[in-house]
Every structure is written in structure tokens, then in C-alpha cells.
Amino acid sequence: MPQESASAAIRKKAWEALTTKVRAFQNLGEVVIAGDLNAKVGEPTTSAENAVLGSFSRGSRTSNGRLLVELLIRTRLANVAGFARPPASSEGQWYTRTDPRVSTKSQIDYILVPLNQRRSHRSRFKVDYTSLDTDHHLLHARI
């Protein structure tokens, strides 16, 4: 997905296109999305958000994060990481990227599953924090 530095119009168009694709494929079966969505969802602020983000979502929400939360609610998908307790070594939150310039850690990569499947993946999600030749970390989930 476009980075936060892209114009609001470009970002909104990309998220709307993804929502349309998800809905189209949901007519054929269950949809799973995995990838670098360049969005920080932050902590849930409503019960509807808690249902799709889970109690382990942390931090503040970005503009792309608002668009992702909107997509989750509209398409009834959920962020698997938000329903899996992060290890103590990850500072109480899942993070999927470490900014190489300032060393901040954030979750911008996601695995999204149908809302009714979110809890069945709880013990099957993790992030591999092995140092790779990238600023992103490897996500694992058994779907």
C-alpha cells in the first residue's frame, strides 16, 4: 500500500480498490491478506475496533491506519497479531519493522483473516526477529 507520504487522494484510492477486491473475492470464499500495508492501527477505541484489532494492538494510529481499520470493519477481517500475546522480548507489542534511521519499532505488516477465524489463529502467529537484510521482520502464521 502507499506510504503515508503519498497524497491523501492516492492513499484513499488504493484502500478503496483493496476493499473492492476483498469484497469481490469474499463472494468466492474466505479471504486472507498478508503484506506490507504501511499502516499503524494503534489501540482500539471502540468495541467494533477491538473486535477487528484485538487487545494486543498498541501505539498510535496513522492516516493509513484509519483506512485499514475502516477496511477491517467493512470487510469483516481481523488483524491476527492483535489476538496473539507478544513475547516479553518484543517490549509488549508485535513490531514488524525497525526504522534504520531512528530505531523506532512499529507494526506495518499484517496478516488479516476473516473475523470469525481470528481467535483460532491465536497460538499460530509470531514474528521472527532474526536480523535479515531488510528493515522488516518475517511474519509467521498457520492459516
Side-chain angles (χ1 to χ4, degrees), residues 46-121:
T46 67
S47 60
E49 288 182 3
N50 193 59
V52 298
L53 296 179
S55 58
F56 297 109
S57 293
R58 301 281 188 263
S60 57
R61 189 169 297 167
T62 61
S63 296
N64 276 348
R66 284 190 289 279
L67 294 167
L68 174 52
V69 171
E70 196 173 288
L71 175 139
L72 293 172
I73 291 170
R74 285 182 176 172
T75 60
R76 300 192 47 78
L77 293 176
N79 172 25
V80 174
F83 297 90
R85 182 178 300 281
S89 62
S90 68
E91 301 169 19
Q93 69 174 13
W94 291 110
Y95 60 92
T96 63
R97 179 179 182 263
T98 303
D99 187 309
R101 294 181 313 247
V102 292
S103 298
T104 57
K105 298 174 181 177
S106 57
Q107 180 181 18
I108 61 170
D109 307 290
Y110 295 88
I111 298 175
L112 310 175
V113 298
L115 188 59
N116 63 347
Q117 297 288 325
R118 71 190 185 273
R119 294 201 189 278
S120 67
H121 301 283

